[in-house]
Amino acid sequence: MKNNKIFTGISAFLLSAMAFTACTDDVKFADSFIEKSPGNTVSLDTVFNSATYTKQFLTGIYALQYYGLPYSNNRTPHSSFSFTSKLDAMTDLYQHHWNGADAYNLYYGGTLTAQSTPAISYSDDYVWNAVRQAWILINNVDRVPDLKENEKKSLVAQAKCLIASRYFDLYSVYGGLPWVGRTPFTGTEGVYENPRLTAEATCDSIVALLDEAIASDALPWKYYDGDGVSTEMDATNNTGRWTKGGAMALKAKVLLFNASPIYNSDKPYFDGNTEAEQQHLVWHGNYDQKRWQRALAACQDFFTANGESDPGDNKAADVNSTLGDRTYHLNGTQGAAWEIISSGSKKTSDAAKVDYYRQAYRMGYIYQGSAEVIHSTRVATVYGSQGTFSWWSWANPANGINRNSYNPTEEYVEMFPWSNGEPFDWEKDSIANRIYGEKGKLFYQYVSVRGGLNKIASRDPRLYENAFVNSQPKTLAWSTGASSGDIFELWLGGNDASTNALKLDDHGVTPIVNEKLLSAFATGYGTVKYVLGEEYHRKFMHWVYLSYDEMLLMFAECKAQTGDLEGALKLVNRVRARVGLGKLETYNDSYYKSHGGDITTDKDALVEQILRERACELGMSNNRYYDMVRYKRTDWMTKPLHGLGIIRMKKNSSNIYVPSYDPYIGNDKNAGLKEPNVFDYKKFRLQNRERVLWAYQDQPNNPEVTKWLLCPFPSSEIMKGYGLVQNPGW
């Protein structure tokens, strides 16, 4: 038999370079991948002559998946390099305050070219390694003598999902792609054989693979710990593997992209004269409502397979988890306290309600056994400080490194409504008795009770899980969600913010902007998502690739785009209900009609609110970047962003409130003074640094702006001459 070499030439990939692990299988790397390595290579004959080695080979492909939290000081894969920056940092939600990061230099500074590397690299993110390796497995799995037939089918279906996911990672930021096909790979070809497919053909090719995986009877719908007998279905040992549920969710997401205005439009996003546009590599050449219908059907298929013919009416399942551990559903906190909250009993304080809502939201994405996580990826470096360049150690404000501080912007924070669901309106809500003064409640409301004040979170519970805000307690009980302890002092002179957002002028009188780099609170807010302290220390940190709440909101968007606004509202309201928010349409007359349009009759007005809900629900997940691209929202790219300067107000000897630039923890607290609850607020334009695209605030459709909607292909790849056409503007 021909001794085919797996790793040769330009497509060579050393397993020893992997930092990932897909599941709980023991992964052997480099020479230890086989018991006796034949020289410095691994042969097909060796790998596919053993079920054990073949399964390990698949695990190695899982190691090549995209992981969304920069954590390493190793440049490969590029997206995991700590200097690279998350896609979210290029949106209106976050500002990255580290001048060593690509967001700061390439994107904010506008220096990205076809000679530099975008946040997700076409050539340096292991995409083609994963695709090639997966096809090798598919083409050779029948050679394995000791694999059962159902095991072979399972490995093939998983490999097809891996190929599809890696293609989607590029399709979402580059458009149409070269397609590496099914023909047996001998290892002697170059990495690429074909020119770019059209955007639609790329979508169809991805979906075809997913359809094949979905049709396989070897993929479970979901791994679960239910019968205590079947190890094949055991979630503990299989979390992170692709499932039928994951394949159906990814299909819906790919088709959502395909139907979105970036591709599905009567007008291309650039100027229409570039080669990529003329060949329909970056758009479809027309608008077709059937594309939205196709995405809608994929969403419906997922929920039908999940046992939900109408997920908009299934709110009770989220609270009580009655759907069982074999299905996906929104996470709900169990126990008597949660039952009291869900029934509206007055026995539960308003403060406790918000904590429990936060806990339900938090455990939905962070807990690796969550029924809300449809597919996730993970790394083999620990979450905590032992991993020198780990996400947690560089993002945790207590560590003081702050290189992963993606500071939430004021624009992001204002997207979160009040705790009852009423939209937040700065112009209306900045009235003295709403924000400033003893009755102020920008983030917390202080209600007088016997013996002092009762502190109640006044905003959407998801805000406190996406941004550290002023006066937020630092301690979160992992098992109950209860918040307690010292607060984040984010005012000028406070223990945490100090002078990192505001400082006093040279005369020591007037606060002025002092937006410092490498500050955890440079915008007046701090990073929370995936930064949860010691409770998750020394555990393998997963990143959610697909989730159930995202599926609900995708379904809502598809319904809105196909005319079912009532159905869309029901789905959005289900997501909002999980954190105690009122129905969206409740505020239609009082707010939405005068702020964008009637959400019960105006499709565009409703879609705008769905995009806002996606930002609140899916922070730090790349989805805001995807939405910006999908809807060609160059207005998000060009609008100047802001931070919030905070000034503590304290009564003087004349019983008049005056600014106080002192911390609370320490002398004030030790002297028995109550927690500060009166503040003045100063919105300021971010200055360090201003993004070059802000200069086009009045020209959002200028080609110098629109070119940023899709990434540039590396010029080195263009020059190889295999048919790769550059994206418009680059």
Side-chain angles (χ1 to χ4, degrees), residues 119-141:
I120 293 184
S121 171
Y122 174 76
S123 54
D124 294 326
D125 255 306
Y126 292 168
V127 172
W128 303 111
N129 306 76
V131 170
R132 282 298 193 181
Q133 300 292 340
W135 280 123
I136 289 171
L137 185 145
I138 292 170
N139 291 325
N140 288 277
V141 71

Side-chain angles (χ1 to χ4, degrees), residues 462-500:
R462 296 173 298 187
L463 170 60
Y464 310 96
E465 293 295 311
N466 282 279
F468 285 129
V469 302
N470 188 49
S471 297
Q472 184 168 331
K474 294 181 178 180
T475 301
L476 297 171
W478 187 249
S479 59
T480 66
S483 56
S484 62
D486 290 336
I487 61 172
F488 281 106
E489 300 183 9
L490 304 188
W491 60 82
L492 172 55
N495 270 309
D496 299 286
S498 184
T499 59
N500 290 338

